[in-house]
Structure formats: C-alpha cells, structure tokens
Amino acid sequence: MEIFKKIAPLKAFLEGIRRSENTIGLVPTMGALHNGHLALINASKAQNSVTICTIYINPTQFNNPRDLEKYPRNIDRDLELLQTAGCDVAFCPENAEMYESKPHLKFDFGSLGNVMEGKHRPGHFSGVALVVSKLFNVIRPDNAYFGQKDWQQFAIIQQVVQELKFDIKLHSIPTLREQDGLAMSSRNLRLSFHERPKATVFYKALLEARKDLRMGEPISKVKERVSEIVGKTAGASLEYFEVAESKNLNVLEFVNGAEMPILCIAGYIGEIRLIDNMFLK
Ligand code: AMP
C-alpha cells in the first residue's frame, strides 16, 4: 500500500493511475477504523481499479472542542487494517497540508442543513463539505463511498456534487452493526465498560419506533415512546428523534404519502454522542 502525507506526490501518483484508464474509488474517514469503514473499502475495491482511503480528523467539522480533542486516534493500527483489507493507497495529511491558513469558505445548505445534525451541530456540515470538496479536488475519484449511518451527511455531499458539478458517483453503504445492534462507530471506543451495553438503546428505540410506525401509530405518539425508552436507560439522553423524507431531509409529521421515510436518532451515553438511523420500509 502506498502511503502519502502530502498532496503534491499523491496527485502525481494518481495522475499516473488515471493515464492508464483505471478508475479511482475514494473512502474518506477520520480513522479509528472498524468493520463499517472496511465495508466501504470492500465496496470500492469491487468497483474500482484503485482504492484510496483518507484518514484525516477534520477540525472544521467539530463544533465541540472536547469532542475533537478526545476523538480516538490510532494511525498505526489503521494503516495495518487498510493494508490487510487490500486498500491500495492511504492519504493521511497533517492539518497544515489541508488548511494552509484559516478557511473563509462557508457552505449553507438551507433546509437540508438546518435540521437534525445541522441544527444540533452548528457549522458541522459546512466543515464536512469543505474538507470533502478539498479531497474531491485533490483526488478526483470516479466513485466515492459513504456510510448510511451518516445519512444527512450523504445528502449534503450529494448537494455539493450536484451544485459544484463534481464528476463523481456517490455510493451509500448500509450501516454495519455490532452483534447487539449498536451501529459501529469510532466514538464507541470512548464508551466505558458500563456505558457500552446502554448504547444499544438508540438502536432498540429505532426498532420500536419503526414497528409502531408500520402499525400506523402517528409520529407524535412514536416520538413520545422513543423519549420514554431512552429516558428509562440510566446515563442515556435523547437529543432528537425525527422521521424525515430521506431524499431532502424534510421532517415529517405524517408518514402517509411520504416516499422513503427515514427514522433518525441522536443522543448521549454519558458524554459520548451517538447517532443512528433506519429506513421505514
Ligand atoms: P468517520 O470516520 O466516522 O467519519 O466515517 C467515515 C465513513 O465511514 C463515513 O462515510 C461513515 O458514514 C462511514 N461509516 C461510519 N460508521 C459506519 C458503519 N457502522 N457502517 C457503515 N459505514 C460507516
């Protein structure tokens, strides 16, 4: 596996790849890799001649400085995992390489960015869009792979690709879960031994909510039930539970007539913030 820390040699390397009509698949990550990330690598490997995984903890997408400081980091293990998974290229830049100076560009996604994650993490999606745009410009992949776990992020990146006319096909990969249903996440590493079993509450709440909605319960009732389920778990707190139209993230009051509703949840176990989602159908 080729490992790059600087943009210029990476670009030169990829130029050679493109000349021989190979396709390039990109998997952007913040490291502390788990099987969810590896599912994206595998999807890319199946569809491209060359797969590149980026490992970069992007400071501009963190609205909480403590979250940035405590974000799990383990680059040596990550590189070993990528090597074993058969990833072709790893790009692990330092901050100075990605941000030569304080960035000024800001993205405003309107209603897409004002709900759920956008509402509770001000500036988050602007930072995501900025770093993903930089990676798209530097790497110029044919395909890019993202996880369904961050569904709103996927919708935001679709908007970026459409408006900035990036010639890149985006792919969303289903969420990989632990045996007990907890969505895999780098932040799970921060859960204590006692917190870890409680973290399944969000998955369980989604399952219950989906069952109730499928039986025709109104969303308002289902929201009450989700609050109740999360409230009963000591140390857990609910930040939001919404049912939205998955293509534009419009928050729904009724599921009748909606095309492809998605149930989205976010909350805390202690000080660890977790998110999850599930399609209704
Ligand atoms: P992160 O390193 O958390 O920024 O995630 C990098 C990419 O991996 C994003 O596209 C995530 O949506 C995706 N991802 C994270 N967790 C999972 C998971 N459990 N299953 C599938 N994809 C995931």
Side-chain angles (χ1 to χ4, degrees), residues 109-170:
F109 292 96
S111 58
L112 195 57
N114 291 337
V115 293
M116 302 193 288
E117 291 302 285
K119 180 168 160 191
H120 292 276
R121 301 186 67 188
H124 169 63
F125 285 130
S126 184
V128 168
L130 186 56
V131 79
V132 170
S133 302
K134 283 171 189 268
L135 293 173
F136 283 176
N137 271 323
V138 168
I139 294 164
R140 293 171 47 212
D142 300 277
N143 294 289
Y145 298 82
F146 297 88
Q148 185 200 308
K149 186 172 82 73
D150 300 278
W151 180 259
Q152 193 175 7
Q153 168 174 288
F154 187 67
I156 291 279
I157 294 166
Q158 279 181 313
Q159 192 71 31
V160 169
V161 163
Q162 188 204 316
E163 289 200 33
L164 294 180
K165 305 206 179 295
F166 280 112
D167 197 5
I168 299 171
K169 187 157 190 277
L170 301 179

Side-chain angles (χ1 to χ4, degrees), residues 15 81 124 152 162 173 182 205 210 247 252 274 278:
E15 214 41 66
L81 282 175
H124 169 63
Q152 193 175 7
Q162 188 204 316
I173 304 300
L182 174 65
R210 186 174 68 176
K247 70 165 188 253
L252 298 169
L274 300 173
M278 207 174 266

Side-chain angles (χ1 to χ4, degrees), residues 28-30 34 36-37 40 71 146-147 149-150 174-176 184:
T29 80
M30 297 203 297
H34 49 68
H37 296 115
L40 307 193
Y71 198 84
F146 297 88
K149 186 172 82 73
D150 300 278
T175 302
L176 256 82
M184 289 184 184

Side-chain angles (χ1 to χ4, degrees), residues 186-224:
S186 306
R187 287 187 175 87
N188 295 350
L189 290 171
R190 293 188 55 207
L191 295 165
S192 72
F193 178 75
H194 295 291
E195 286 171 332
R196 170 62 186 81
K198 296 177 180 175
T200 54
V201 67
F202 301 115
Y203 174 66
K204 288 181 182 150
L206 283 175
L207 286 179
E208 286 299 311
R210 186 174 68 176
K211 190 173 80 194
D212 290 354
L213 287 168
R214 282 177 175 175
M215 286 191 327
E217 282 285 341
I219 292 177
S220 54
K221 266 260 152 23
V222 173
K223 282 189 169 178
E224 285 170 20

